[in-house]
Amino acid sequence: MDNNGHRFTVAGTDIEEVKRKNAEAGMSYKEVLQLLAKTGGHNTKQYSTTKVEEVKKKIHPYN
């Protein structure tokens, strides 16, 4: 840490600046995949929050 409270990596990268820029950059890759899963994206099942068993019960209530 330097006198201004900044933390740097061994290579000299300002960690706080990287965090700030990441926060300003928009959605992360994972966030995009989660959004696609919720809106019908392809191959995004692992990111979906849909409860399959609940949907099946709604579709077929007497099974």
Side-chain angles (χ1 to χ4, degrees), residues 1 6 12 14-15 29 31-32 38 41 57 60:
M1 209 178 278
H6 291 261
D14 183 340
I15 296 170
Y29 181 75
E31 290 169 331
V32 170
K38 289 179 182 176
K57 287 178 184 177
H60 306 289

Side-chain angles (χ1 to χ4, degrees), residues 9-36:
T9 65
V10 176
T13 303
D14 183 340
I15 296 170
E16 298 307 317
E17 180 182 4
V18 171
K19 287 181 181 180
R20 182 182 54 78
K21 286 183 178 182
N22 285 344
E24 295 172 357
M27 290 193 290
S28 69
Y29 181 75
K30 184 175 179 181
E31 290 169 331
V32 170
L33 290 178
Q34 289 172 335
L35 178 64
L36 287 172

